[in-house]
Amino acid sequence: MECEWKPDEQGLQQILQLLKESQSPDTSTQRSVQQRLEQLNQYPDFNNYLIFVLTKLKSEDEPTRSLSGLILKNNVKAHYQNFPNGVSDFIKCECLQNIGDSSPLIRATVGILITTIASKGELQNWPELLPKLCLLLDSEDYNTCEGAFGALQKICEDSAEILDSDILDRPLNIMIPKFLQFFKHNSPKIRSHAIACVNQFIISRTQALMLHIDPFIENLFALATDEEPEVRKNVCRALVMLLEVRLDRLLPHMLNIIEYMLLRTQDQDENVALEACEFWLTLAEQPVCKEVLCGHLSQLTPVLVNGMKYSEIDIILLKGDTEEDEAIPDNEQDIRPRFHRSRKCSAAALDVLANVFREDLLQPILPLLKELLFHPEWVVKESGILVLGAIAEGCMQGMIPYLPELIPHLVQCLSDKKALVRSITCWTLSRYAHWVVSQPPDTYLKPLMTELLKRILDSNKRVQEAACSAFATLEEEACTELVPYLAFILDTLVFAFSKYQHKNLLILYDAIGTLADSVGHHLNKPEYIQMLMPPLIAKWNQLKDEDKDLFPLLECLSSVATALQSGFLPYCEPVYQRCVNLVQKTLAQAMLYQSQPDQYEAPDKDFMIVALDLLSGLAEGLGGTIEELVARSNILTLMYQCMQDKMPEVRQSSFALLGDLTKACFQHVKPCIADFMPILGTNLNPELISVCNNATWAIGEISIQMGSEMQPYIAMVLHQLVEIINRPNTPKTLLENTAITIGRLGYVCPQEVAPMLQQFIRPWCTSLRNIRDNEEKDSAFRGICTMISVNPGGVVQDFIFFCDAVASWVNPKDDLRDMFYKILHGFKNQVGEDNWRRFSDQFPLPLKERLATFYGV
């Protein structure tokens, strides 16, 4: 059939002129082309011209024709619903007639156009598309077959879900068997399309494929050693996905598959090797991993270890021979190319396998390690250090005997003359930080720290980055062990400030924040503050309000403020003011954007989130001294808006701040409680764990401050809290916070909460028995005791859980211990000696002994 439409010659020339200009490198030309294209969209048949250039105008060069098709694709994406019928019919007709164009570029462009129309919901309104494409697969003409397959592959990628639905009368029942026939086609390109099409339906366990799963797997095996890399890659990808969804079907062939994947992991083609390497990562997640792989560890280990060496091309791309680059500013466009991926994948595979096989991996790996770690060639030695780091988590126990010899060797490697060796050594040492810290500090911690601090000041940027990250890990492990060396550490970190380029500065902020978290109030010494604060404040003053570098700096300051407490006072006011301004600016911008989205840009709400978090840090660190700053600002009004923001992270941070301000200066929060409580009630939704957690915690803090005045608000929150504490699979921290808040509500309003006792006492006891004695646990248990005295019947059925929770206290305050004593003895007297004995015989021995020792029951 012929598609009906003829262009106007003058219009055609005008559009060709535009297409030529749009290929100009000049940005102002491109801008004016964009505007003219937008204007032409007013004319209904503009899109007819575009398809005409793509499919009919063979006199033009291919890039121009393809470009015409891509502009049309963008119009379809943006305006397809406004195309007149005649136009969309003409476009569809032309696409189907030209899917077999002799040029691969034009065929591919037509295919992209077809899938774009199809994914605009047009699969329903274009019923002849799939049958026609499937028919074209049988064409004698290679171009037609390949073009149709290319289009089908794109449709399978973009519309997999709708293809497997009743809406279209399940076309896959015909398509999948059809695709399987082409696995044996003589053209590698077409074999590759065929596998790629079927691969789209593995993960979703599409029924049409599951019916043909055995012939599919047989066909894959037949193509296992195909000469075309793209085909081998798709075979590997299929097997990796089948491992996740149809392990049962692969198990009988597992030995052969493992042998095959060992070969493919060493494939000459890097993309094939990468897909094959994913197989080991996926296999490690399967429970059968250990039994099917244990016989192959001695073959697999050297293959993975071998894949962990840098290739020559990696080293060129990594500028492995540039040792000193610290003075070269970071190039913001310098997004690293995706190189050495198969090295990373091998390392990741070794890491997960170490976690599966634990010490069993050491037998094949130790001999290799001995050879690599002391090898004269730096590339080999570097890969050995990576291997040692990769197995650290899984093989830690088995490695311990070798660490006294290996750690000093690694500390020596920190001053290797090759930057790539120094940087990987930083990482590997950080993986063993836990063990280093568990030994006497002078043996390993001190020498490691000394060398690592030198590396933070390395002249190579990659080494600086690795050393800074490794040091942050060491800080987390060592905590207060670092206190004796604080002056020395701060000296280095502060010096790095003046030395670092942009990207590493951001990591430096993290190292400083982590240091503050780790040593806490030990940082609050005038001489340390004098070293640390001036460079931080200098950066703070340099950065503009719209600069994203504020995020890590604000996070860092938040940790520092919490650690320094009163020591932060001199810096407090300007920091507080700016945070309030950031919140105010972001909210104002959001209002503008909401009222006129076409006029204004959406704000980046991260500015507001990080500012709220820093205000929390100030409130926590400064306590009551923040009172006058709150009094002079409109922060509570702003918080009222933040608590109702659409974005969960904003609400999460504002509830945290509410809790901290409640503790620090409740007199300013109290007038707003009537407005805040209903909002807190609606945010007790456990689907959003962190929001729910912070809202729950804030309610608990508010109730402690409100006392009996909390009474009108109990009904707004109690029901949801009881529901959350009884929900299966609720995360531990949320359970603990919910229990504490229920206890606190019961403490201030026992008459309102105690009637519900029976509905929450059991999960309440089990979630709080595991937390350490602290203020929050104290107030919660006072609440539960008060409620039991109001409604003793509510606890009778679950009394054993209460006994267990009481026994979890190491040393409660005297008056709380008295409350426990009264309840235990009251219960014992109530039931009588015999019943009590029968009851307490069910107790595990440790519980029985503790209660006898502490409470004499």
Side-chain angles (χ1 to χ4, degrees):
M1 63 178 245
E2 190 50 39
C3 310
E4 291 303 315
W5 182 81
K6 296 280 175 287
D8 164 66
E9 194 48 45
Q10 202 186 347
L12 190 57
Q13 290 313 316
Q14 200 187 341
I15 281 173
L16 284 172
Q17 182 58 35
L18 255 186
L19 290 168
K20 291 276 187 291
E21 283 176 25
S22 75
Q23 293 170 60
S24 132
D26 174 50
T27 40
S28 61
T29 312
Q30 290 205 343
R31 212 171 291 130
S32 79
V33 169
Q34 267 324 102
Q35 282 167 344
R36 306 238 302 284
L37 286 173
E38 278 307 311
Q39 286 158 0
L40 285 168
N41 263 320
Q42 318 292 316
Y43 301 97
D45 62 356
F46 167 49
N47 293 299
N48 284 359
Y49 283 93
L50 292 174
I51 188 85
F52 185 88
V53 174
L54 171 65
T55 56
K56 289 267 207 291
L57 212 57
K58 313 269 172 161
S59 53
E60 276 305 318
D61 61 285
E62 287 182 7
T64 301
R65 289 171 60 199
S66 171
L67 183 67
S68 181
L70 293 174
I71 291 172
L72 174 55
K73 175 205 73 162
N74 290 335
N75 287 349
V76 166
K77 260 196 161 131
H79 314 293
Y80 190 73
Q81 64 285 358
N82 307 331
F83 284 19
N85 277 351
V87 174
S88 47
D89 289 344
F90 179 64
I91 294 172
K92 288 174 176 177
C93 177
E94 281 297 315
C95 282
L96 285 177
Q97 291 216 333
N98 293 278
I99 190 69
D101 193 283
S102 58
S103 142
L105 178 64
I106 301 298
R107 287 202 298 273
T109 310
V110 172
I112 290 172
L113 194 51
I114 288 177
T115 187
T116 310
I117 295 172
S119 59
K120 290 302 277 189
E122 282 297 302
L123 269 176
Q124 294 99 297
N125 306 342
W126 193 357
E128 68 273 24
L129 173 64
L130 294 173
K132 176 79 179 181
L133 289 175
C134 285
L135 194 66
L136 293 175
L137 293 182
D138 296 324
S139 164
E140 291 298 304
D141 173 47
Y142 168 78
N143 292 338
T144 304
C145 177
E146 197 279 325
F149 239 136
L152 279 165
Q153 183 181 336
K154 295 184 183 88
I155 292 170
C156 290
E157 285 166 9
D158 296 340
S159 309
E161 276 171 29
I162 191 168
L163 286 174
D164 185 34
S165 66
D166 286 327
I167 304 174
L168 299 176
D169 200 20
R170 306 216 171 256
L172 291 178
N173 295 340
I174 298 161
M175 288 162 68
I176 284 183
K178 182 103 184 159
F179 295 153
L180 290 175
Q181 292 166 13
F182 285 87
F183 277 38
K184 301 194 166 66
H185 196 276
N186 58 8
S187 147
K189 187 101 208 260
I190 285 176
R191 294 197 296 272
S192 181
H193 279 315
I195 308 178
C197 283
V198 180
N199 279 358
Q200 294 306 317
F201 304 102
I202 299 178
I203 290 294
S204 56
R205 296 185 170 82
T206 303
Q207 200 198 350
L209 174 56
M210 293 303 137
L211 291 174
H212 298 92
I213 198 76
D214 291 328
F216 174 47
I217 292 174
E218 276 163 43
N219 278 330
L220 284 176
F221 289 162
L223 293 177
T225 51
D226 201 281
E227 79 272 9
E228 172 66 29
E230 195 58 27
V231 173
R232 296 199 302 272
K233 186 182 95 176
N234 282 332
V235 170
C236 289
R237 180 171 291 172
L239 289 170
V240 170
M241 294 190 286
L242 286 167
L243 199 54
E244 280 185 48
V245 300
R246 288 309 303 258
L247 182 63
D248 58 319
R249 281 294 182 257
L250 295 188
L251 273 177
H253 316 283
M254 208 46 152
L255 277 178
N256 295 339
I257 295 175
I258 288 173
E259 298 285 344
Y260 173 66
M261 285 297 183
L262 277 167
L263 287 173
R264 289 290 76 87
T265 307
Q266 306 168 74
D267 201 285
Q268 292 309 295
D269 183 291
E270 199 205 359
N271 291 319
V272 179
L274 190 64
E275 283 296 336
C277 200
E278 289 286 340
F279 178 83
W280 312 113
L281 281 169
T282 306
L283 183 57
E285 291 167 5
Q286 307 297 329
V288 295
C289 177
K290 217 167 175 168
E291 79 187 72
V292 298
L293 206 52
C294 60
H296 296 80
L297 271 190
S298 51
Q299 294 157 277
L300 174 59
T301 309
V303 170
L304 291 176
V305 166
N306 215 14
M308 288 161 77
K309 277 205 286 286
Y310 280 128
S311 64
E312 284 168 30
I313 190 107
D314 288 335
I315 294 168
I316 295 166
L317 288 168
L318 284 164
K319 305 190 176 63
D321 296 325
T322 319
E323 288 302 315
E324 294 196 16
D325 61 358
E326 63 170 346
I328 306 167
D330 294 339
N331 175 1
E332 295 306 318
Q333 278 69 45
D334 187 20
I335 304 298
R336 291 198 198 146
R338 293 172 59 183
F339 50 79
H340 67 271
R341 285 180 305 166
S342 51
R343 171 183 198 257
K344 283 196 170 130
C345 200
S346 305
L350 193 62
D351 182 354
V352 293
L353 290 169
N355 277 300
V356 172
F357 286 98
R358 304 277 165 186
E359 282 58 64
D360 297 345
L361 192 65
L362 291 181
Q363 203 175 357
I365 219 158
L366 280 174
L368 297 171
L369 265 177
K370 284 204 177 76
E371 190 186 328
L372 300 174
L373 284 171
F374 300 93
H375 201 281
E377 281 178 59
W378 76 264
V379 181
V380 181
K381 177 160 110 176
E382 193 277 346
S383 73
I385 298 171
L386 172 62
V387 170
L388 187 58
I391 63 170
E393 197 186 337
C395 302
M396 181 59 88
Q397 279 317 105
M399 286 307 294
I400 288 176
Y402 307 97
L403 292 180
E405 176 193 355
L406 284 175
I407 298 292
H409 175 62
L410 287 172
V411 171
Q412 250 178 331
C413 294
L414 280 175
S415 44
D416 193 276
K417 58 181 190 303
K418 276 293 181 196
L420 287 170
V421 174
R422 299 198 298 277
S423 61
I424 197 66
T425 306
C426 291
W427 177 73
T428 293
L429 278 163
S430 75
R431 301 268 290 175
Y432 289 96
H434 185 76
W435 181 83
V436 167
V437 171
S438 71
Q439 304 298 304
D442 283 359
T443 331
Y444 307 105
L445 178 61
K446 204 171 169 185
L448 166 58
M449 196 171 55
T450 313
E451 285 306 307
L452 208 46
L453 288 169
K454 287 185 196 155
R455 291 293 68 82
I456 286 180
L457 303 178
D458 200 277
S459 54
N460 178 280
K461 290 196 284 195
R462 180 182 310 259
V463 179
Q464 295 172 353
E465 174 185 3
C468 239
S469 301
F471 196 72
T473 307
L474 186 64
E475 290 170 337
E476 285 174 349
E477 290 291 349
C479 292
T480 48
E481 296 276 340
L482 296 178
V483 173
Y485 317 106
L486 263 175
F488 183 41
I489 294 171
L490 286 169
D491 236 355
T492 307
L493 297 179
V494 168
F495 188 64
F497 254 110
S498 55
K499 201 174 157 73
Y500 276 13
Q501 298 296 344
H502 174 227
K503 194 167 140 251
N504 286 351
L505 263 181
L506 308 183
I507 300 170
L508 182 62
Y509 294 142
D510 179 56
I512 292 173
T514 308
L515 180 67
D517 294 338
S518 302
V519 300
H521 64 91
H522 296 285
L523 200 57
N524 189 5
K525 287 218 173 94
E527 62 272 29
Y528 297 158
I529 297 175
Q530 213 27 60
M531 292 164 80
L532 183 58
M533 287 309 295
L536 283 175
I537 294 296
K539 282 284 177 233
W540 165 266
N541 291 330
Q542 256 171 33
L543 293 176
K544 296 196 175 53
D545 276 356
E546 3 335 298
D547 194 325
K548 290 213 161 79
D549 289 5
L550 271 178
F551 303 160
L553 178 56
L554 286 160
E555 280 171 25
C556 167
L557 279 171
S558 178
S559 296
V560 170
T562 310
L564 291 184
Q565 295 176 349
S566 60
F568 197 80
L569 269 176
Y571 311 95
C572 182
E573 188 157 357
V575 172
Y576 179 91
Q577 269 337 115
R578 185 169 189 183
C579 287
V580 173
N581 283 345
L582 281 169
V583 175
Q584 190 147 13
K585 264 189 174 168
T586 314
L587 285 171
Q589 179 76 19
M591 300 273 279
L592 288 172
Y593 172 69
Q594 233 170 348
S595 57
Q596 296 161 292
D598 41 351
Q599 304 283 308
Y600 294 97
E601 280 195 11
D604 182 341
K605 289 191 178 168
D606 286 351
F607 284 104
M608 176 155 75
I609 294 167
V610 186
L612 290 166
D613 291 343
L614 177 45
L615 287 169
S616 278
L618 292 178
E620 196 182 335
L622 297 166
T625 37
I626 200 170
E627 182 274 321
E628 49 186 291
L629 292 172
V630 175
R632 293 205 303 270
S633 72
N634 61 339
I635 185 64
L636 288 155
T637 317
L638 298 174
M639 274 165 61
Y640 180 61
Q641 289 172 270
C642 293
M643 287 160 65
Q644 298 174 78
D645 197 275
K646 283 203 295 291
M647 189 174 178
E649 290 80 1
V650 176
R651 302 202 300 277
Q652 171 186 337
S653 292
S654 59
F655 295 143
L657 178 55
L658 173 61
D660 282 315
L661 288 179
T662 297
K663 288 173 84 165
C665 53
F666 189 64
Q667 68 268 46
H668 296 303
V669 178
K670 194 171 180 183
C672 311
I673 289 297
D675 294 323
F676 288 173
M677 281 308 298
I679 301 174
L680 286 165
T682 51
N683 277 281
L684 296 175
N685 164 16
E687 295 303 312
L688 296 168
I689 290 172
S690 304
V691 179
C692 185
N693 203 18
N694 290 0
T696 303
W697 174 70
I699 292 167
E701 291 298 338
I702 289 169
S703 59
I704 291 290
Q705 300 289 338
M706 291 283 282
S708 57
E709 292 177 60
M710 194 67 183
Q711 192 262 323
Y713 307 110
I714 300 282
M716 292 177 185
V717 297
L718 184 58
H719 185 71
Q720 296 94 301
L721 293 169
V722 172
E723 207 167 292
I724 292 168
I725 204 169
N726 281 296
R727 232 172 138 250
N729 304 332
T730 305
K732 196 159 104 13
T733 37
L734 180 54
L735 275 181
E736 288 165 4
N737 269 326
T738 307
I740 286 167
T741 293
I742 291 175
R744 291 176 153 189
L745 290 170
Y747 183 51
V748 296
C749 298
Q751 298 298 337
E752 280 67 30
V753 186
M756 304 272 283
L757 200 50
Q758 200 176 343
Q759 293 175 44
F760 61 74
I761 183 72
R762 188 169 178 166
W764 191 95
C765 292
T766 45
S767 59
L768 288 188
R769 66 181 297 269
N770 296 322
I771 66 169
R772 287 197 296 264
D773 298 7
N774 63 22
E775 280 303 312
E776 297 188 337
K777 185 170 175 176
D778 178 273
S779 56
F781 271 84
R782 286 170 192 275
I784 212 82
C785 292
T786 314
M787 288 188 276
I788 290 173
S789 62
V790 171
N791 175 18
V795 76
V796 171
Q797 288 176 323
D798 299 300
F799 198 69
I800 185 166
F801 292 94
F802 176 72
C803 296
D804 183 50
V806 166
S808 75
W809 277 89
V810 182
N811 41 15
K813 293 184 181 152
D814 289 344
D815 57 340
L816 182 58
R817 182 183 303 239
D818 287 343
M819 292 167 116
F820 292 157
Y821 185 91
K822 286 200 178 84
I823 292 172
L824 293 170
H825 280 272
F827 186 83
K828 183 177 171 179
N829 298 338
Q830 195 83 36
V831 298
E833 196 68 50
D834 288 353
N835 285 334
W836 175 260
R837 193 176 310 107
R838 244 174 278 154
F839 173 67
S840 61
D841 279 346
Q842 311 162 31
F843 291 2
L845 198 61
L847 172 57
K848 215 171 179 169
E849 286 172 354
R850 285 197 75 125
L851 290 177
T853 315
F854 287 107
Y855 301 99
V857 289

